[in-house]
Amino acid sequence: MANVAGLCSSAKAEFLTGIHALGPGTGVPARSAGAADVIKAALFLASASRGVADTVYNTTGELAGTGGYTQGGVTVTMGTAPVVSSTEGCFTPSANFQWAAFTSSGAFDCVVLYNSSQGDKEISVHTFGSQSVVAGTFTLTMPSSVAGSALVRIA
């Protein structure tokens, strides 16, 4: 099986029950006002089987924690509040995801977003063309936070 992009099915209900707080904002009453959760982005091998049925982050199929890559990924910069367009709720992190000075343990084509503040609940899977890095830097450039192109969209 290959990695399949999409908003995780479990995350859809978790957004509705206030589990995920993406970006700065007013928060929900049971949580700290204005405090975003810690969201992480981890890279997965092209041979992995990540997809919308995933519910919790795990290291199965993730790049090995060698060559300068740390399993668990990088912390996502959450400086931009989610927005609402006429058709979608939109969120894009305020900075690109970057892994510097690393050598990948194999070809990878997927980044998984998960909420490390909330039991590592998986939010979404994003795929791209297969990559291999040897002693280099890999950067995923974030899209605009608008309908039709935001990284996380709820329609």
Side-chain angles (χ1 to χ4, degrees):
M1 183 174 163
N3 297 308
V4 178
L7 185 64
C8 293
S9 298
S10 59
K12 294 173 185 177
E14 292 163 0
F15 279 117
L16 294 174
T17 58
I19 298 293
H20 302 293
L22 302 181
T26 58
V28 293
R31 301 179 64 178
S32 300
D37 288 333
V38 175
I39 306 301
K40 299 274 194 148
L43 296 172
F44 284 80
L45 295 166
S47 60
S49 296
R50 304 311 297 219
V52 298
D54 295 346
T55 57
V56 178
Y57 159 80
N58 63 64
T59 60
T60 303
E62 185 175 2
L63 291 180
T66 60
Y69 180 82
T70 302
Q71 284 194 317
V74 295
T75 300
V76 174
T77 304
M78 308 286 281
T80 306
V83 297
V84 176
S85 75
S86 60
T87 58
E88 294 178 344
C90 304
F91 174 75
T92 294
S94 56
N96 297 332
F97 304 159
Q98 187 173 74
W99 292 265
F102 89 103
T103 297
S104 60
S105 59
F108 60 97
D109 69 351
C110 172
V111 65
V112 167
L113 293 184
Y114 69 96
N115 189 335
S116 68
S117 297
Q118 300 294 327
D120 293 340
K121 292 181 184 300
E122 199 162 309
I123 296 171
S124 56
V125 177
H126 305 271
T127 57
F128 45 83
S130 183
Q131 308 286 316
S132 290
V133 176
V134 176
T137 297
F138 179 71
T139 302
L140 284 172
T141 303
M142 294 298 101
S144 299
S145 193
V146 297
S149 66
L151 190 66
V152 176
R153 301 182 320 234
I154 300 173

